[in-house]
Every structure is written in C-alpha cells, then in structure tokens.
Amino acid sequence: MAAERMAGGPGTGPTPPPRPLDAVDQDILRILRTDGRASIRAVAEQVHVSRANAYARINRLVEDGVIRGFSARIDHERAGQGASAYITLKIVQNSWRTVREELQALPGATHIALVSGDFDVLLLVHTPDNRALRELVLTRIQAIPEVLSTRTLLVFEETELGHGRDNP
C-alpha cells in the first residue's frame, strides 16, 4: 500500500527513485497546495486534461511519495493555541532518531527539522499560552536525556507563504 511505503511501514523496501515531473504535474501540485480539497474535475479543467488523466496523475504523485498527504491549514490562535515558538536544540551526537520520536509525541509540535549550524534541531510548537510553553520546554523537552540545551524563540507574527489563493 502506498501509505505504508510513504510512512516506511513494515515490510516495505527502499523507496523507488522519483519519476520526473512534467509541467502538468507541477501545475497539479500548485493547485493542490493552494486548495487540497480541489475536486478531480476542477484540477482536470485547470490543467486541461481529462478527469481520468488528472486522477491517474494525482494517484501516481501519491504513490511516488511526492504528495505525502492532505491537511488543513490551521489558524493556531483561533484554535486556542495562541503562543508559538521555535525551539532550537543541541543534542547528543547520533541521537536524532530517538530525539525525533520524543519530539513528535509532544503536544503542539508542528514541525521538526535536523539542521546544520550552531544547533542540531529546529522545532516549531504551538501552545495555549506562555505558561504551557514554559512547561513544555522545561519539563518535557529538557527532560529528554539526549537534549543538551535549548533556546526558545517566541513567534510574534506568522505568515504562511505559497498557500493562499492570492499567492500560489
């Protein structure tokens, strides 16, 4: 199943190399990035292919792991998560997989990246308020044995790029 292969589920082999994307595939990705709920018919009309062709292309993009899923963009403040922060972490060498598993289980964690530079991990979290953010950092993140240090950068304002209808 494609979902298991994308998730690296049990019994899956190595992910095959990606097939090249043509202009129609790129247009389909642009449309779905703007509106993940776009119907096959609407996508087909916008890229000037048949519905069957659009359906087959979207399925291939999912099976190839180019499209990893469909989700809703959330206004975190309206959803009761008014405090946002990027947290940088320095971790024990070669502990990335263990730390990533721990961070994925954190409430409000929305993005985790292994990076180069002065720190090892960049984590984006959304919490109800600064008190909850403080608890998350001091009692959950700093309690992970492989985390050597953290630095919290409060987010005052966010702008999502490339997802709105006026910014495809």
Side-chain angles (χ1 to χ4, degrees):
M1 169 179 265
E4 283 183 354
R5 184 169 63 244
M6 290 186 320
T12 61
T15 304
R19 293 178 252 196
L21 303 181
D22 63 16
V24 173
D25 292 330
Q26 294 291 347
D27 286 344
I28 289 171
L29 293 175
R30 179 186 48 77
I31 292 164
L32 293 176
R33 208 175 1 255
T34 301
D35 180 7
R37 292 173 42 157
S39 69
I40 297 292
R41 178 180 174 191
V43 171
E45 287 174 359
Q46 290 181 59
V47 299
H48 309 291
V49 299
S50 70
R51 282 184 290 210
N53 188 330
Y55 183 81
R57 284 174 177 266
I58 291 170
N59 275 347
R60 179 179 49 83
L61 292 167
V62 170
E63 289 173 4
D64 286 354
V66 175
I67 296 175
R68 297 185 303 181
F70 299 88
S71 63
R73 291 189 316 271
I74 308 298
D75 181 321
H76 295 284
E77 191 168 346
R78 292 182 63 92
Q81 297 178 312
S84 300
Y86 284 97
I87 303 168
T88 65
L89 294 83
K90 289 186 183 181
I91 61 173
V92 172
Q93 189 172 5
N94 297 321
S95 65
W96 163 241
R97 286 176 182 83
T98 303
V99 171
R100 180 181 57 200
E101 286 179 23
E102 295 275 349
L103 296 176
Q104 287 173 326
L106 293 175
T110 59
H111 184 84
I112 305 167
L114 179 65
V115 297
S116 64
D118 293 337
F119 49 88
D120 305 305
V121 178
L122 182 62
L123 170 68
L124 175 60
V125 298
H126 301 280
T127 61
D129 52 34
N130 284 344
R131 181 178 299 240
L133 175 61
R134 180 179 183 277
E135 279 298 305
L136 184 72
V137 173
L138 296 179
T139 64
R140 298 285 301 271
I141 296 172
Q142 290 183 356
I144 299 170
E146 296 84 4
V147 171
L148 301 173
S149 66
T150 64
R151 173 178 252 168
T152 303
L153 308 165
L154 291 177
V155 174
F156 296 128
E157 184 176 319
E158 292 181 88
T159 301
E160 223 175 291
L161 302 176
H163 293 291
R165 290 199 181 278
D166 57 349
N167 189 9

